[in-house]
Amino acid sequence: MDHMSSNLEDYLEVIFSLESVNSEARAKDIADAMGVQRASVTNALQKLSQRGLINYQPYSSVTLTPEGFRTATRIVHRHKVLYDFLHTFLQIRPEVAEDTACKLEHHIDDESLETLTKFARFIMTCPRTGKDWLEAFTRSCNERGACTNCSECIKSCLERLDDKCLDSSEPRSKTS
Amino acid sequence: MDHMSSNLEDYLEVIFSLESVNSEARAKDIADAMGVQRASVTNALQKLSQRGLINYQPYSSVTLTPEGFRTATRIVHRHKVLYDFLHTFLQIRPEVAEDTACKLEHHIDDESLETLTKFARFIMTCPRTGKDWLEAFTRSCNERGACTNCSECIKSCLERLDDKCLDSSEPRSKTS
DNA sequence: CAAAATTACTAGTCGTATCTAACAATTTTC
DNA sequence: GAAAATTGTTAGATACGACTAGTAATTTTG
């Protein structure tokens, strides 16, 4: 009884989205957003209501309870982390990334999600990686752009680091 | 009719595994491996048989058809890529990684999976990243091990690259 | 304000996947 | 080789989540 199905998680997510975008969530709009019939929505809303995740009265718009809000936030967070990873790091096309994130979000465990977040941050903040490293990866994916001079690549990496250190710590004169 | 449910994919995967490990897949073993009742297995086997993915005769062990073998291989591949990423890169504990890979494998699209493979390979082969970079990430996850000297880190990165270049440019007499 | 249009709910059906219980076939064991 | 144990199948129930069709409530509109 306490387990939340993928399906209900999707409904909750849509309600969350409609509430923030439209400022209210009507059954019709939920049906449109989910691409299902209104009868299916009624059914889902009754279940979400039973679980105390939404305030639901027939013929009036749906609102999230505090508990529902927490749950929805958690799901949206999962979605965002996955989408960002797929889109920003793997360069997956937005629609595909969106779609896949939407499916994976129901199945990834907390530990993996949390570590994925850290991983993404590490790639962006470690001086050995960062934006240009990611671009090199993207080029390597597109066949015609394999790296040619690793030595130079690493050196410029070092230079950027030095520049940053100069900027932030000792104001030494920039000589390169 | 042509869509394969996550559930049937799981059955196929278990059959594949039992066939290779046990050299045969019996309904009882499938039930044990999946943690379901034998009646559920019968049901699943009938469906897989209808789709032409397994050779199924009551009271004898199950074998994969060529088509079933291809499908199973594809699923196992997805599983492996995801498991490796979770375990090797994110350092997720084996059991958790196993479990999560098992769920995600049914939902990730081909493009993302393919790119994830390339991403993993790029991390391992790019001189700016590789094994030690990954270890630095792992340390950064364990709180007490943040990096301290990025400059040195990058320099040793460059040195390793130079060493490798020397190795590979010199004619290696030992190889036959 | 009443008819028309929209929106929402209920009931019944289908497909998937599970279970239990009862029964059938096949092996094991004595 | 017959009784016992194991293994496999069938039938019927439950739960989920979708659908359609019919009905009811609420808005919109004239």
Side-chain angles (χ1 to χ4, degrees):
Chain A
M1 277 292 171
D2 58 325
H3 168 257
M4 188 77 172
S5 74
S6 300
N7 195 271
L8 289 186
E9 285 191 352
D10 280 335
Y11 275 101
L12 214 56
E13 215 176 342
V14 164
I15 292 166
F16 178 88
S17 161
L18 286 173
E19 250 195 357
S20 30
V21 175
N22 268 358
S23 83
E24 69 170 350
R26 306 203 66 92
K28 170 64 159 48
D29 300 327
I30 298 171
D32 290 349
M34 301 265 310
V36 298
Q37 294 301 312
R38 282 162 303 178
S40 309
V41 175
T42 303
N43 195 273
L45 293 182
Q46 286 166 348
K47 284 178 189 165
L48 288 171
S49 180
Q50 272 178 354
R51 286 162 192 265
L53 297 172
I54 60 169
N55 303 113
Y56 170 57
Q57 276 131 332
Y59 299 100
S60 78
S61 61
V62 177
T63 56
L64 293 169
T65 62
E67 174 65 18
F69 184 81
R70 273 194 297 277
T71 306
T73 304
R74 211 167 52 232
I75 302 164
V76 168
H77 174 246
R78 286 161 171 278
H79 182 98
K80 182 170 161 37
V81 169
L82 288 164
Y83 176 81
D84 285 352
F85 180 73
L86 292 170
H87 180 245
T88 308
F89 292 83
L90 301 191
Q91 300 283 324
I92 302 300
R93 284 163 293 148
E95 322 79 56
V96 179
E98 181 62 29
D99 201 64
T100 298
C102 224
K103 291 175 191 158
L104 300 186
E105 73 192 14
H106 307 297
H107 302 97
I108 190 167
D109 68 282
D110 289 339
E111 191 183 337
S112 299
L113 192 87
E114 187 58 28
T115 313
L116 186 61
T117 310
K118 287 179 184 165
F119 191 63
R121 185 155 43 234
F122 188 77
I123 289 174
M124 283 321 213
T125 56
C126 172
R128 281 174 59 174
T129 45
K131 199 154 173 281
D132 72 303
W133 175 86
L134 200 51
E135 278 161 10
F137 165 63
T138 306
R139 278 196 303 278
S140 87
C141 282
N142 300 339
E143 304 301 323
R144 55 168 159 49
C147 298
T148 49
N149 193 336
C150 293
S151 199
E152 275 310 310
C153 181
I154 299 179
K155 278 175 193 157
S156 65
C157 200
L158 195 54
E159 276 162 27
R160 275 194 305 277
L161 176 66
D162 288 343
D163 287 354
K164 204 187 282 173
C165 286
L166 282 176
D167 285 352
S168 56
S169 58
E170 324 145 39
R172 283 189 307 184
S173 58
K174 265 191 192 173
T175 50
S176 40
Chain B
M1 277 290 173
D2 59 326
H3 167 257
M4 188 75 172
S5 74
S6 300
N7 196 270
L8 289 186
E9 286 190 352
D10 280 335
Y11 276 100
L12 214 56
E13 215 176 344
V14 164
I15 293 166
F16 178 88
S17 162
L18 287 173
E19 250 196 354
S20 32
V21 175
N22 268 358
S23 81
E24 68 168 352
R26 304 204 67 90
K28 169 65 158 49
D29 299 327
I30 298 171
D32 290 347
M34 300 266 309
V36 299
Q37 293 301 311
R38 283 162 306 176
S40 308
V41 174
T42 302
N43 195 272
L45 293 182
Q46 286 167 348
K47 284 178 189 166
L48 288 172
S49 180
Q50 273 178 356
R51 287 162 190 266
L53 297 172
I54 60 170
N55 302 115
Y56 170 59
Q57 276 130 330
Y59 299 101
S60 77
S61 62
V62 178
T63 56
L64 293 169
T65 62
E67 173 65 18
F69 185 82
R70 274 194 296 279
T71 307
T73 304
R74 209 168 53 233
I75 302 164
V76 169
H77 173 247
R78 287 161 170 279
H79 182 98
K80 182 169 160 39
V81 169
L82 288 164
Y83 176 81
D84 285 352
F85 180 73
L86 292 170
H87 180 244
T88 308
F89 292 84
L90 302 191
Q91 300 284 323
I92 302 300
R93 285 164 293 149
E95 322 79 55
V96 179
E98 181 63 29
D99 201 66
T100 299
C102 223
K103 291 175 192 158
L104 300 187
E105 72 192 14
H106 307 296
H107 302 98
I108 192 167
D109 68 283
D110 289 339
E111 189 182 339
S112 298
L113 192 87
E114 188 58 30
T115 314
L116 186 61
T117 310
K118 287 180 185 165
F119 192 62
R121 185 156 40 234
F122 188 78
I123 289 174
M124 282 323 213
T125 56
C126 172
R128 281 174 59 174
T129 45
K131 199 156 171 283
D132 71 302
W133 175 85
L134 200 51
E135 278 160 11
F137 166 62
T138 306
R139 279 196 302 280
S140 88
C141 281
N142 302 338
E143 304 301 322
R144 54 168 159 47
C147 297
T148 48
N149 193 337
C150 293
S151 199
E152 275 310 310
C153 182
I154 299 179
K155 277 174 194 158
S156 63
C157 198
L158 194 53
E159 278 161 27
R160 274 191 306 277
L161 175 66
D162 289 344
D163 288 352
K164 203 186 284 173
C165 285
L166 282 176
D167 284 352
S168 57
S169 57
E170 231 139 87
R172 307 177 69 184
S173 49
K174 274 180 195 167
T175 52
S176 44

